[in-house]
């Protein structure tokens, strides 16, 4: 029977042998069953097409065994984009909260859905700004939330700074209240990669002189921070910090002495930190880098890090 003879439209779809290996959504006829309105019964299926031919297609759902469907029972269907990796499906605010582990001793306090952050010994903006991702929410009005931010940081001798998603309503709200970019820095990129993939992408050979020192990997001091460095005659040639909290492994403070850049020293330090992350069971690595730091971006691109979200810092004008 051809399509024109099928009252339920079987065969009108965008599928074929070309979708083998792709993720697809399929609607199929359930022969011998009656639908809620008394007509034919149909069901939908989302999964990966494993095979097409000989009058059938095979679809592997995300859970359960493969499903074999007669081509004559296909009502509609089309390829769909691959499902985002697990580490990319986390929300920006949850990713940022996971990164609190990078600053042991961080003081935090909720302000509606915002989070006030302060660290007595760190100067990093990530440790001394309100995480204003999303509306502050009840019971605070926007004016009350901003006033509370200013008062909270004033009590700690800090300039009030807000971390906001670039182009977000919160950025616009603070801008309307007179807040301006905190500095001339480019936006910050929050980047993620699977630990296993990043390790596989590391070069087989690293800098010969990269004998990496490490501390904090096993003793649990510093709130779990791990330090890795390459010593030099006048200080560290390269260094970095790692925090592991459950599935998450965060890297910060990656530095290479200016006279020793381009020799693979950063990769050697990062390789050591990723090894520790893997040993501790972390599967998702994250880091944050300025959007105009081309050297660092090339390094991280090569290891499979991708952008998760972009944010910037706002503050009241100096003197207000």
């Amino acid at each position: 029977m051809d399509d024109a003879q099928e009252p339920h439209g079987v065969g009108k779809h965008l599928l074929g042998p070309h979708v083998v290996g792709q993720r697809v959504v399929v609607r199929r006829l359930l022969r011998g069953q009656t639908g809620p309105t008394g007509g034919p019964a149909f069901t939908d299926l989302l999964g990966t097409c494993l095979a097409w031919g000989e009058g059938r297609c095979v679809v592997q759902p995300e859970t359960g065994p493969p499903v074999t469907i007669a081509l004559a029972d296909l009502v509609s269907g089309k390829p769909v984009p691959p499902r985002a990796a697990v580490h990319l499906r986390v929300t920006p605010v949850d990713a940022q909260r996971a990164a609190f582990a990078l600053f042991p001793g961080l003081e935090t306090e909720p302000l509606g859905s915002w989070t006030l952050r302060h660290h007595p010994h760190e100067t990093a903006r990530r440790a001394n700004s309100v995480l204003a991702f999303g509306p502050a929410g009840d019971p605070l009005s926007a004016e009350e939330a901003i006033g509370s931010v200013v008062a909270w940081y004033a009590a700690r001798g800090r300039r009030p700074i807000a971390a906001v998603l670039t182009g977000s309503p919160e950025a616009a709200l603070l801008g309307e209240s007179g807040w301006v970019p905190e500095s001339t820095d480019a936006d910050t990129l929050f980047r993620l990669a699977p630990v296993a993939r990043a390790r596989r992408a590391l070069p087989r050979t690293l800098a010969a002189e990269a004998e990496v020192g490490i501390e904090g990997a096993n003793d649990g001091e510093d709130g779990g921070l791990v330090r890795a460095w390459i010593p030099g005659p006048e200080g560290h040639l390269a260094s970095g910090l790692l925090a592991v909290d459950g599935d998450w492994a965060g890297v910060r403070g990656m530095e290479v002495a200016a006279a020793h850049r381009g020799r693979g020293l950063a990769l050697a330090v990062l390789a050591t930190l990723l090894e520790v992350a893997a040993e501790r069971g972390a599967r998702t690595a994250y880091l944050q880098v300025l959007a105009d730091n081309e050297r660092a971006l090339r390094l991280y691109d090569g290891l499979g890090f991708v952008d998760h979200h972009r944010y910037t810092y706002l503050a009241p004008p100096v003197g207000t």
Side-chain angles (χ1 to χ4, degrees):
M1 181 179 293
D2 62 28
D3 290 350
Q5 296 172 297
E6 289 281 10
H8 45 69
V10 168
K12 295 181 179 179
H13 53 74
L14 300 177
L15 304 173
H18 63 283
V19 301
V20 173
Q22 297 185 44
R23 192 164 178 250
V24 296
V25 60
V26 174
R27 169 159 288 194
R28 61 190 174 105
L29 172 69
L30 297 176
R31 293 193 180 270
Q33 299 186 34
T34 302
T37 62
F42 305 98
T43 190
D44 295 328
L45 179 65
L46 176 66
T48 301
C49 182
L50 301 181
W52 184 286
E54 300 181 353
R56 64 184 179 87
C57 73
V58 180
V59 176
Q60 173 63 64
E62 294 179 355
T63 59
V67 177
T68 299
I69 306 169
L71 297 185
D73 291 342
L74 287 178
V75 178
S76 63
K78 62 181 180 180
V80 294
R83 189 180 187 190
V86 172
H87 64 279
L88 293 178
R89 296 201 296 269
V90 67
T91 65
V93 69
D94 285 341
Q96 288 284 340
R97 286 172 178 160
F100 290 175
L102 285 168
F103 297 94
L106 183 69
E107 176 189 5
T108 64
E109 182 177 320
L111 181 66
S113 65
W114 294 359
T115 302
L116 297 155
R117 302 176 290 185
H118 171 254
H119 199 292
H121 308 304
E122 296 281 356
T123 60
R125 294 173 296 184
R126 282 178 283 165
N128 293 285
S129 60
V130 59
L131 182 63
F133 284 21
D138 293 335
L140 297 170
S141 67
E143 183 177 351
E144 290 170 332
I146 294 172
S148 295
V149 169
V150 172
W152 198 84
Y153 285 101
R156 289 158 179 77
R158 295 276 189 180
R159 181 187 181 192
I161 301 173
V164 293
L165 287 167
T166 302
S168 66
E170 292 67 50
L173 171 68
L174 288 165
E176 291 168 0
S177 299
W179 288 46
V180 296
E182 178 268 343
S183 72
T184 59
D185 286 348
D187 289 351
T188 301
L189 303 177
F190 194 106
R191 312 197 87 200
L192 298 175
V195 171
R197 177 178 176 182
R199 293 179 66 206
R200 287 196 302 269
L202 287 164
R204 292 182 179 275
T205 57
L206 297 171
E209 69 269 43
E211 297 181 2
V212 183
I214 189 169
E215 65 180 7
N218 300 308
D219 56 22
E221 295 180 359
D222 259 350
L225 280 185
V226 175
R227 290 180 172 84
W229 70 90
I230 298 172
E234 299 179 358
H236 297 335
L237 302 183
S239 60
L241 291 168
L242 172 79
V244 177
D245 184 12
D247 180 58
W248 292 83
V251 174
R252 74 173 174 94
M254 289 292 298
E255 297 180 352
V256 178
H260 298 275
R261 291 173 182 165
R263 296 165 57 186
L265 302 185
L267 272 174
V269 169
L270 193 53
T272 299
L273 296 178
L274 290 172
E275 181 71 21
V276 174
E279 289 173 354
R280 293 188 173 185
R283 293 181 295 175
T284 302
Y286 65 89
L287 49 83
Q288 297 171 75
V289 60
L290 293 178
D292 60 356
N293 188 341
E294 295 182 2
R295 180 187 294 270
L297 290 174
R298 286 196 298 271
L299 169 66
Y300 301 137
D301 285 347
L303 297 180
F305 282 87
V306 297
D307 294 350
H308 182 270
H309 61 273
R310 174 188 291 252
Y311 66 98
T312 191
Y313 294 96
L314 302 178
V318 175
T320 61

